Amino acid sequence: MEFYRSSRRLQILGSVILLLSIHVAHSFYLPGVAPQDFEKDSISEAIGDELKVKVNKLTSIKTQLPYSYYSLPFCRPKKIVDSTENLGEVLRGDRIENAPYSFKMREAQMCNVLGRVMLDAKSAKAFKEKIDDEYRVNMILDNLPLVVPIERIDPGQGSPSVVYQLGYHVGLKGQYEGSKEQKYFMHNHLAFTVRYHRDMQTDAARIVGFEVKPYSVKHEYEGQWSEKTRLTTCDPHTKRLVVSSATPQEVENKKEIIFTYDVDFQESEVKWASRWDAYLLMSDNQIHWFSIVNSLMIVLFLSGMVAMIMLRTLYRDISRYNELETQEEAQEETGWKLVHGDVFRPPANSDLLCVYVGTGVQCLGMVLVTMIFAMLGFLSPSNRGGLMTAMLLLWVFMGLFAGYASSRLYKMFKGTEWKRIAFRTAFLFPAVVSAIFFVLNALIWGQKSSGAVPFGTMFALIFLWFGISVPLVFVGAYLGFKKPPLDDPVKTNKIPRQIPEQAWYMNPIFSILIGGILPFGAVFIELFFILTSIWLNQFYYIFGFLFLVFVILMVTCAEITIVLCYFQLCSEDYLWWWRSYLTSGSSAVYLFLYAAFYFFTKLQITKLVSAMLYFGYMLIASYAFFVLTGTIGFYACLWFTRLIYSSVKID
């Protein structure tokens, strides 16, 4: 009956969490910029406010190497002006510059000639390489990214739905009818559609959509080319517009390419505050929310059942130990009580453990605060680079807690040289990450990609590290070392107890690898969508749901570490310090293996440099995941061992 009641309580708790998860998962977002009103002169009806179009980087999911827009011989304005970018945008490879396009609010334009480019062998080769690698052109209007609307019919639904893809392809490859020769064609005519929401009282308009349909058309004209030449293939005076392309524009040496564009304005019922909704629905429609929530609930129920069994078993053990009356009965007992004199003996390489625990606290603080800000809408995709900037700054300021945690643990191990621990905490993890990052950045520099971090930004990162993070780590270490150490609940023997031979399933490597499976199982479904958003240039904004997944991850790491630590102590193996860290930290191994599986099954990367970038960045992510989950498991196990050994009578 008691078991039934406990199960019933878990079911009720699960239902409540399910409702909360659905509510929190749909977290809102802030638009990223203040609204801007664009007006049209009511007297002339011909003069509208100028709309400034900006060009961003060229991106490809095949190479993962961004390039600036003007790295290709597109038509240029008289003067190229770089927009101010935050730290996150620079690290993402964004290069936002002004564009030669000229828009007027609610003023439709047809067949505007942007310019004429004569290709030589070098420029033709550059265009062909970008077309081969399926590069996309990204533009921005009023902080909205340019998208290509694509109609598709979902299975089971008769009416087609519209999905959006970020940017348009530079060009495409194809063959003429009756020919087997592969040709390259340029998208040289762009049909823009600007959607706006109009205020009925003031007649002011706000931009709520920026779309394009690209065409490849070989423009023709009569006579010699000049700025006033009228095209015969695209002429608004004769009502000849580009709606299809019978003769596409080839990309070959000594070919001329004439770039043109249309602009159409369409009134929309979408309000400015909701204009990002359509963009954020760009991810795959096959996301089955209830299946994801169900799998997470299964993990939560399994963890709850394991915790309940553990608590009952442990309670019975403590009661039995406390009821022993004679020394003879105590000598006949076996299990975790017999190692009370060695369980708090400092481990081998205790200094390194203190450093990793402090680093894990730094990671945990950064992730928690970042997710809270993201759930509140401050780090939405509309705020480009905001997420990465926030993570870097939070990492720097969390150095205070890293130094505090490492020095507190170091003093518990009877250490005296806190400055050495503070130094290693401030430099070990960042130095490893920086070394990998510098190697990857050198590879990006070699490819002449805009994703390479400039030297000025490098100095800014070094200043954040040495100028802010390192001093904060030392301040935290000083404050932590000043506090009195935690007293062990039992005394430690001078001579270490011999550890009996262990069963095969208690082998350290085996138990550590087994312990990482359940934490990884709690996140691997959400991990798929995170990897997709990072490597396939899609938006990810469901931070509320991600926060719930992270909470379940922490609970799972804590519980699986406690369970395996209990089994280890019952088999009279008291070397739990490092094993508790590695048990939950081993989930990072499965994270990296899953990243490799994702690379070979979902990505189309063929170049060696791009593959090295992918595995290099995923190695950094897995390393950070290791110190994060390892620290959670370690603190859970530390709390557990102190709790149980303070609850029994030790003579």
Side-chain angles (χ1 to χ4, degrees):
M1 180 62 69
E2 185 179 351
F3 178 79
Y4 172 78
R5 290 174 181 170
S6 301
S7 301
R8 183 61 180 166
R9 293 192 196 103
L10 283 174
Q11 291 177 3
I12 295 173
L13 177 63
S15 301
V16 172
I17 294 176
L18 175 62
L19 293 175
L20 287 175
S21 65
I22 295 174
H23 175 73
V24 178
H26 294 82
S27 55
F28 63 94
Y29 57 87
L30 300 180
V33 293
Q36 185 173 359
D37 294 326
F38 298 93
E39 298 181 355
K40 183 174 181 179
D41 195 321
S42 59
I43 299 177
S44 66
E45 289 294 336
I47 303 175
D49 286 343
E50 183 181 1
L51 305 181
K52 296 181 180 180
V53 180
K54 299 180 180 180
V55 291
N56 200 349
K57 58 187 176 182
L58 307 174
T59 57
S60 169
I61 61 175
K62 292 185 67 175
T63 67
Q64 305 295 334
L65 292 169
Y67 289 89
S68 66
Y69 177 81
Y70 294 112
S71 63
L72 290 179
F74 288 115
C75 296
R76 301 179 174 221
K78 294 181 180 179
K79 182 180 180 181
I80 298 176
V81 180
D82 294 333
S83 298
T84 304
E85 298 154 353
N86 58 42
L87 182 60
E89 287 179 300
V90 175
L91 295 177
R92 279 162 36 100
D94 288 345
R95 298 296 182 267
I96 303 174
E97 300 158 314
N98 59 322
Y101 299 95
S102 178
F103 294 178
K104 299 291 183 180
M105 188 63 189
R106 285 186 272 177
E107 182 181 335
Q109 302 177 40
M110 301 297 170
C111 295
N112 270 18
V113 177
L114 193 65
R116 173 175 172 266
V117 174
M118 286 295 298
L119 296 181
D120 54 19
K122 182 179 179 181
S123 58
K125 181 183 178 182
F127 273 125
K128 288 181 179 180
E129 288 177 348
K130 296 298 183 290
I131 294 173
D132 261 331
D133 292 331
E134 300 179 6
Y135 270 87
R136 289 178 172 271
V137 178
N138 295 281
M139 298 184 184
I140 299 171
L141 177 63
D142 190 34
N143 200 46
L144 278 181
L146 180 67
V147 293
V148 178
I150 298 176
E151 287 190 358
R152 73 178 186 184
I153 299 178
D154 295 328
Q157 296 182 358
S159 59
S161 61
V162 178
V163 295
Y164 298 98
Q165 291 184 345
L166 280 174
Y168 68 91
H169 282 111
V170 173
L172 69 160
K173 293 190 293 184
Q175 301 169 343
Y176 288 112
E177 187 176 356
S179 173
K180 295 183 179 180
E181 185 180 1
Q182 193 85 352
K183 294 287 187 179
Y184 293 84
F185 302 103
M186 168 69 65
H187 281 143
N188 60 323
H189 179 83
L190 303 177
F192 293 105
T193 300
V194 178
R195 302 188 183 274
Y196 65 93
H197 181 78
R198 184 166 63 93
D199 190 314
M200 302 301 293
Q201 295 180 349
T202 63
D203 199 46
R206 293 178 177 178
I207 296 174
V208 296
F210 187 31
E211 302 174 3
V212 69
K213 289 186 178 179
Y215 297 95
S216 177
V217 53
K218 182 175 173 30
H219 287 303
E220 297 177 356
Y221 55 90
E222 296 178 354
Q224 296 294 323
W225 172 262
S226 67
E227 292 183 359
K228 298 182 179 180
T229 298
R230 182 178 295 180
L231 301 176
T232 59
T233 50
C234 185
D235 189 357
H237 299 84
T238 60
K239 296 183 179 180
R240 184 166 187 180
L241 306 176
V242 175
V243 293
S244 62
S245 179
T247 308
Q249 174 64 58
E250 289 187 29
V251 179
E252 291 292 345
N253 185 22
K254 298 182 180 179
K255 290 272 187 181
E256 70 169 359
I257 300 179
I258 299 173
F259 291 90
T260 57
Y261 66 95
D262 303 335
V263 183
D264 185 27
F265 290 86
Q266 295 182 5
E267 189 170 354
S268 173
E269 296 296 326
V270 177
K271 294 184 179 180
W272 185 87
S274 304
R275 64 178 186 164
W276 273 87
D277 288 358
Y279 292 81
L280 298 180
L281 292 176
M282 264 188 248
S283 55
D284 194 350
N285 284 343
Q286 296 179 353
I287 299 177
H288 302 292
W289 287 105
F290 283 103
S291 65
I292 296 175
V293 173
N294 183 57
S295 63
L296 292 174
M297 291 304 301
I298 291 174
V299 172
L300 185 60
F301 275 118
L302 287 175
S303 302
M305 293 298 293
V306 169
M308 185 175 63
I309 294 171
M310 277 297 305
L311 289 175
R312 289 186 173 183
T313 305
L314 194 58
Y315 180 78
R316 187 175 62 249
D317 285 351
I318 292 175
S319 300
R320 186 171 67 250
Y321 284 137
N322 289 337
E323 289 173 359
L324 295 179
E325 296 181 356
T326 64
Q327 186 68 22
E328 290 77 11
E329 288 177 325
Q331 291 176 354
E332 293 175 359
E333 288 293 333
T334 59
W336 55 270
K337 186 185 177 184
L338 294 184
V339 295
H340 66 85
D342 299 276
V343 72
F344 292 105
R345 187 182 305 279
N349 298 317
S350 58
D351 291 5
L352 186 61
L353 179 63
C354 297
V355 170
Y356 269 109
V357 168
T359 303
V361 170
Q362 192 174 7
C363 284
L364 181 61
M366 176 195 69
V367 172
L368 281 176
V369 178
T370 300
M371 285 190 179
I372 291 173
F373 275 102
M375 281 195 302
L376 295 177
F378 294 106
L379 302 177
S380 69
S382 58
N383 186 10
R384 285 184 306 277
L387 181 63
M388 188 169 293
T389 303
M391 292 182 69
L392 279 173
L393 294 179
L394 285 172
W395 166 265
V396 168
F397 290 110
M398 288 297 167
L400 182 70
F401 299 98
Y404 182 86
S406 61
S407 65
R408 287 285 288 157
L409 186 61
Y410 179 68
K411 192 169 185 178
M412 193 176 79
F413 290 151
K414 306 299 187 294
T416 57
E417 300 178 10
W418 66 270
K419 293 181 181 179
R420 184 180 66 179
I421 289 298
F423 180 83
R424 295 179 67 179
T425 304
F427 284 93
L428 179 62
F429 180 83
V432 174
V433 173
S434 299
I436 300 174
F437 178 76
F438 285 141
V439 171
L440 298 179
N441 197 58
L443 295 175
I444 301 174
W445 268 110
Q447 298 296 314
K448 299 180 180 178
S449 167
S450 65
V453 178
F455 286 109
T457 307
M458 284 287 191
F459 284 119
L461 293 175
I462 293 174
F463 171 76
L464 288 175
W465 180 11
F466 286 88
I468 301 178
S469 180
V470 172
L472 285 178
V473 171
F474 273 87
V475 170
Y478 173 75
L479 295 176
F481 200 77
K482 279 184 63 178
K483 296 199 68 174
L486 291 174
D487 294 328
D488 296 333
V490 291
K491 294 182 179 180
T492 302
N493 296 332
K494 294 183 178 180
I495 301 176
R497 177 187 177 91
Q498 185 176 0
I499 300 174
E501 186 176 351
Q502 301 293 303
W504 64 271
Y505 52 84
M506 291 305 298
N507 180 275
I509 297 178
F510 180 78
S511 61
I512 286 171
L513 292 177
I514 289 296
I517 294 178
L518 195 57
F520 172 75
V523 299
F524 87 97
I525 296 178
E526 197 66 20
L527 182 63
F528 170 82
F529 299 110
I530 295 175
L531 292 178
T532 300
S533 66
I534 294 174
W535 300 107
L536 297 182
N537 291 334
Q538 296 182 10
F539 286 124
Y540 184 91
Y541 74 104
I542 314 171
F543 294 106
F545 190 80
L546 182 62
F547 181 76
L548 289 175
V549 173
F550 184 71
V551 170
I552 294 176
L553 171 67
M554 291 193 295
V555 173
T556 309
C557 286
E559 289 181 346
I560 193 65
T561 307
I562 289 173
V563 169
L564 293 180
C565 181
Y566 173 71
F567 291 154
Q568 178 185 353
L569 294 177
C570 285
S571 61
E572 301 178 27
D573 184 356
Y574 53 84
L575 302 178
W576 62 272
W577 296 95
W578 271 109
R579 194 184 295 194
S580 65
Y581 195 98
L582 298 175
T583 295
S584 53
S586 65
S587 56
V589 176
Y590 299 100
L591 173 63
F592 190 77
L593 293 177
Y594 182 79
F597 172 78
Y598 184 87
F599 176 84
F600 291 108
T601 57
K602 298 296 181 181
L603 300 183
Q604 301 175 353
I605 295 177
T606 55
K607 293 187 176 181
L608 177 61
V609 172
S610 301
M612 293 176 67
L613 289 178
Y614 175 84
F615 284 104
Y617 285 127
M618 291 311 302
L619 182 62
I620 293 176
S622 301
Y623 186 34
F625 194 72
F626 164 73
V627 296
L628 172 66
T629 54
T631 300
I632 295 171
F634 172 81
Y635 273 118
C637 200
L638 178 62
W639 167 82
F640 172 75
T641 52
R642 291 182 63 86
L643 178 66
I644 64 173
Y645 283 100
S646 61
S647 303
V648 296
K649 298 176 182 177
I650 304 296
D651 293 332

